[in-house]
Amino acid sequence: NSFQVVTAGAWASGGNVNTARYHIDGAGTQTAGLVFGGNVPPYSTATEEYNGSGWSTGGSLSTARTGMVGTGTQTAGLCVGGWQGSTNQTVVEHYNGTSWTAGTAYPTGTRYSSVVGILTAAVTAGGYDTNYSNQSNEYDGSTWTEAPNINTTRSGSGRSGTQTAGLIFGGDASGSSTTAAEDYNGSTWTTGTSLNTPTRNSGSSAAGTNTAALNAGGTNTTVPGVISATETWDGSTWTTSPASLATARQQLGGSGSSSTSALAFGGYSTTTV
């Protein structure tokens, strides 16, 4: 349940989330954050809200699951897909600051996808359905529309930005960590500047915009082990930050508005789950 805040290029410990878990996700900002779902074990419906200093219990998800993805704000959140038992989920839920309600089901049961944007203008990328996926879909709050495929098939990538200025990076590309990054302009995915270090199982730790992003933690199949390193993106270059997570971990959650104002929470601190 470890929790950290990054401000002005340094990580600082914050109040721990109440329910320790991994394969979680979140939404919101550094002072109005949201965390939900994940694996305790077992699969969790727990939702918690962050006010800049501490976590409080929010409304529970309708469907307990792990490996789902989220975006939006603390009062207009989006949770997509995931995994429960032996089944990839199509379940989509909306959060209004108090409770979760059903949204329109995702076209394909998928876990470990990535999503950027807001509740009424989001885009997903990749994930795992029956295999590693290159699918992408846009959501307007009520309807899913197929979007162009991403260029590097993967799951669990980091992400930031909006539906018309999105960014994904890293992830698990068919069993191996990748450095690949891609930009989305609302109609096309374009290969961008790669991360410095291959990462996977770290997508939920990302935060920011497509010109001020952050990626922290994860695992690396090239040099096996759990990662504490942080990289920041300024729109043209990935830079390895001197600030590392206090606890190296994978499958953590995160949220934030920029590379210098972000949250990282939960996760798993060994390579084997």
Side-chain angles (χ1 to χ4, degrees):
N1 61 349
S2 178
F3 170 77
Q4 286 186 268
V5 179
V6 64
T7 304
W11 287 103
S13 295
N16 289 344
V17 295
N18 297 305
T19 301
R21 44 196 150 147
Y22 59 94
H23 274 161
I24 57 180
D25 212 354
T29 66
Q30 189 188 79
T31 56
L34 195 65
V35 57
F36 41 82
N39 200 333
V40 177
Y43 305 122
S44 178
T45 61
T47 297
E48 298 180 41
E49 299 175 0
Y50 187 66
N51 64 4
S53 60
W55 295 91
S56 60
T57 300
S60 296
L61 287 167
S62 302
T63 301
R65 56 203 196 270
T66 187
M68 66 282 124
V69 291
T71 193
T73 68
Q74 191 183 79
T75 58
L78 175 65
C79 177
V80 181
W83 171 261
Q84 185 192 76
S86 59
T87 305
N88 287 318
Q89 298 290 304
T90 61
V91 177
V92 172
E93 299 187 45
H94 301 173
Y95 193 66
N96 64 5
T98 304
S99 60
W100 291 95
T101 57
T104 303
Y106 196 63
T108 306
T110 304
R111 65 187 189 267
Y112 312 140
S113 182
S114 295
V115 61
V116 300
I118 60 175
L119 173 61
T120 56
V123 60
T124 62
Y128 193 97
D129 40 43
T130 57
N131 207 330
Y132 293 92
S133 174
N134 63 0
Q135 70 174 321
S136 178
N137 292 279
E138 293 186 352
Y139 190 57
D140 63 6
S142 61
T143 303
W144 289 100
T145 304
E146 186 176 355
N149 291 342
I150 59 176
N151 297 298
T152 298
T153 298
R154 65 183 107 178
S155 69
S157 58
R159 83 284 185 189
S160 61
T162 68
Q163 189 188 74
T164 57
L167 176 66
I168 61 170
F169 39 88
D172 187 342
S174 300
S176 296
S177 307
T178 182
T179 60
E182 299 183 41
D183 300 292
Y184 189 64
N185 63 6
S187 60
T188 304
W189 289 98
T190 304
T191 300
T193 303
S194 296
L195 289 166
N196 295 311
T197 302
T199 60
R200 64 177 184 168
N201 297 331
S202 63
S204 296
S205 65
T209 69
N210 73 333
T211 58
L214 177 148
N215 191 44
T219 58
N220 183 346
T221 54
T222 305
V223 182
V226 184
I227 296 169
S228 63
T230 299
E231 291 189 45
T232 59
W233 170 250
D234 63 6
S236 61
T237 304
W238 287 100
T239 302
T240 301
S241 171
S244 296
L245 292 169
T247 302
R249 49 194 146 142
Q250 60 164 316
Q251 300 167 355
L252 63 165
S255 60
S257 57
S258 75
S259 57
T260 58
S261 179
L263 310 177
F265 37 80
Y268 205 85
S269 58
T270 68
T271 55
T272 303
V273 175

